[in-house]
Amino acid sequence: MPLERCTEATCSGCGACAAACPKDAIAMRPGEGGFPYPCIDPARCVRCGRCDAVCPLGAETGLTRPARSAHALWLHDATRADSTSGGAFTALARAVLAKGGAVCAAELLLPEGRVRHACVTDEAGLARLRKSKYLQSETTPALREALALLRAGRAVLFVGTPCQVAGWRRLTASFGDRAPACDLVCGGVPSPTLFSRYLREEESRAGSPIADYDFRDKRAGWNFPRVRLVFANGKTVRRIPACDTFFAAYSKKLSIRQACYACPYCTSARVGDLTLADCWRVATTHPQFDDNRGTSLVLCNTELSARLLNESKAVDVVVKDYDLTRAIATNTPLRARPPRPRARETVLDETNAPAHTVWGALGQQARIRGFAVWWVKRLLWPWLRRRQ
């Protein structure tokens, strides 16, 4: 039977198998925590083996390459304010679109509170693909659309978590440089079910449906991000991440997928042509690169990546060399896998309200500590940024 090695403990839910199936016999169905897992319809399956051929499980070492160089990047136009960090995704996407290509990346769908990959072929479509989404995205329909674009002769830039990029590379191996990929420095993907329950709980408190959501709002500065919720009745809530139910659970790795605890991509050897992240601690080492509006970290891992980065340079794009060793040291997912907390199953239990389960697992003092640390850091930032 195909995909026998794919279990809840090993499958990353990249969706490559479903996109590759010529008989549409594989569907990604929600399993534990709402995470997607492949489900095979035996009546349609002809055992062609295509799903096994594209599955990245067991092929990780052949897909990764050591990072070659690191760069700090930021934009000088208005889109930087609409980006989570410096706008590296926008710069790279524009370069691909300018040559007639397409971009496949994640978008947040509200009010249902889910994330899916989508393909865009013009800059107007990039707006919905910007910003980090701390949630596992649905990929299969977008992967099929991207394959159709590749077969039509267009280049497609794919941006996703390392496991998604691994599936993309196996799926598009025959297209060579026309299928570049950017992997994201990822600390694990949180539960879609927990996020949906969290949104419903917040709507109940506000007495209104949610209209907009930002996992990391940087209006108080990139170094001091907050969670932002906007409701249909006009109410806006901005919350320190450590005091937010969903983000607190994610930061402590209480809500991530089982396979994330054994992720083979939590290393400086990367699966994408480029790797995108926040350029953390840049204020300490290169204060001239930090104005508290966001600075992206870009790792170049292949020859193709150097060309893509060079093509992304424009009048409003600043690219500076950065210390690769320091970049790895300040991004934990480039060095180590997330630890598995003992309270994980309790947090994903759907019988209680999210706030009850999360704060019960973390302790009621967690919010007070998080609030205090955030404000101390913000008030003392002019002193701390020179002494981190």
Side-chain angles (χ1 to χ4, degrees):
M1 187 69 180
L3 299 180
E4 287 184 344
R5 65 189 182 281
C6 187
T7 67
E8 284 194 347
T10 60
C11 178
S12 65
C14 70
C17 56
C21 181
K23 299 297 182 181
D24 201 19
I26 302 176
M28 301 301 291
R29 305 291 187 194
E32 180 236 21
F35 296 109
Y37 293 91
C39 181
I40 300 176
D41 181 353
R44 292 187 175 187
C45 179
V46 294
R47 288 166 174 71
C48 65
R50 180 61 180 156
C51 55
D52 274 321
V54 301
C55 178
L57 280 177
E60 295 87 357
T61 55
L63 292 172
T64 57
R65 289 74 50 101
R68 298 184 175 189
S69 62
H71 309 270
L73 183 153
W74 64 93
L75 300 182
H76 272 314
D77 65 14
T79 57
R80 186 183 181 192
D82 296 326
S83 304
T84 299
S85 52
F89 163 74
T90 298
L92 293 165
R94 283 173 173 169
V96 173
L97 294 176
K99 298 175 67 175
V103 177
C104 185
E107 63 173 335
L108 175 62
L109 301 177
L110 289 173
E112 58 264 44
R114 62 189 181 93
V115 174
R116 72 176 180 189
H117 262 65
C119 294
V120 301
T121 55
D122 55 46
E123 188 167 343
L126 290 181
R128 56 195 173 98
L129 303 185
R130 292 191 188 100
K131 285 190 164 290
S132 298
K133 294 92 178 174
Y134 291 83
L135 207 65
Q136 180 147 32
S137 63
E138 304 163 11
T139 59
T140 302
L143 288 175
R144 289 171 177 161
E145 183 179 352
L147 284 173
L149 290 168
L150 287 168
R151 289 171 184 139
R154 303 180 75 161
V156 179
L157 172 67
F158 183 87
V159 182
T161 61
C163 53
Q164 291 173 336
V165 170
W168 168 258
R169 286 195 56 204
R170 298 276 285 181
L171 190 64
T172 61
S174 63
F175 294 100
D177 288 357
R178 286 201 291 116
C182 294
D183 68 67
L184 308 171
V185 171
C186 171
V189 288
S191 161
T193 297
L194 180 66
F195 184 65
S196 179
R197 291 168 56 220
Y198 154 79
L199 290 183
R200 302 294 84 80
E201 187 175 57
E202 293 292 343
E203 289 176 337
S204 178
R205 289 177 183 171
S208 175
I210 191 164
D212 192 22
Y213 186 89
D214 193 342
F215 291 92
R216 277 177 53 196
D217 177 77
K218 59 181 183 181
R219 298 186 190 191
W222 173 64
N223 292 293
F224 313 101
R226 292 179 292 178
V227 177
R228 178 171 60 88
L229 303 94
V230 179
F231 299 91
N233 61 5
K235 181 180 180 180
T236 298
V237 174
R238 290 187 176 88
R239 192 177 292 141
I240 295 169
C243 300
D244 179 75
T245 300
F246 181 77
F247 216 93
Y250 166 69
S251 64
K252 298 299 182 182
K253 309 309 174 188
L254 287 163
S255 60
I256 64 175
R257 191 181 181 105
Q258 286 192 48
C260 296
Y261 299 113
C263 179
Y265 306 109
C266 288
T267 170
S268 58
R270 308 305 298 168
V271 68
D273 295 290
L274 300 111
T275 296
L276 305 183
D278 291 271
C279 198
W280 295 127
R281 301 296 181 92
V282 67
T284 304
T285 58
H286 299 76
Q288 70 273 24
F289 295 173
D290 176 57
D291 58 5
N292 204 21
R293 293 193 294 160
T295 305
S296 295
L297 173 68
V298 180
L299 304 184
C300 288
N301 312 317
T302 64
E303 291 183 9
L304 175 60
S305 66
R307 298 204 302 269
L308 287 171
L309 187 62
N310 187 58
E311 290 170 359
S312 72
K313 294 178 181 178
V315 175
D316 55 356
V317 180
V318 179
V319 180
K320 300 289 186 179
D321 291 338
Y322 197 72
D323 186 340
L324 177 60
T325 302
R326 185 173 296 277
I328 295 170
T330 53
N331 279 275
T332 303
L334 293 177
R335 296 179 284 106
R337 298 166 178 168
R340 183 180 182 124
R342 285 179 290 181
R344 178 184 180 273
E345 280 66 34
T346 302
V347 169
L348 295 184
D349 183 359
E350 298 182 33
T351 59
N352 294 309
H356 175 82
T357 56
V358 171
W359 299 119
L362 294 176
Q364 293 301 322
Q365 298 300 314
R367 280 178 284 191
I368 298 174
R369 290 195 300 269
F371 182 85
V373 168
W374 193 89
W375 274 106
V376 166
K377 180 181 177 182
R378 183 175 180 186
L379 293 174
L380 298 180
W381 182 243
W383 182 84
L384 287 172
R385 70 176 300 182
R386 297 192 298 271
R387 293 167 175 81
Q388 288 189 73

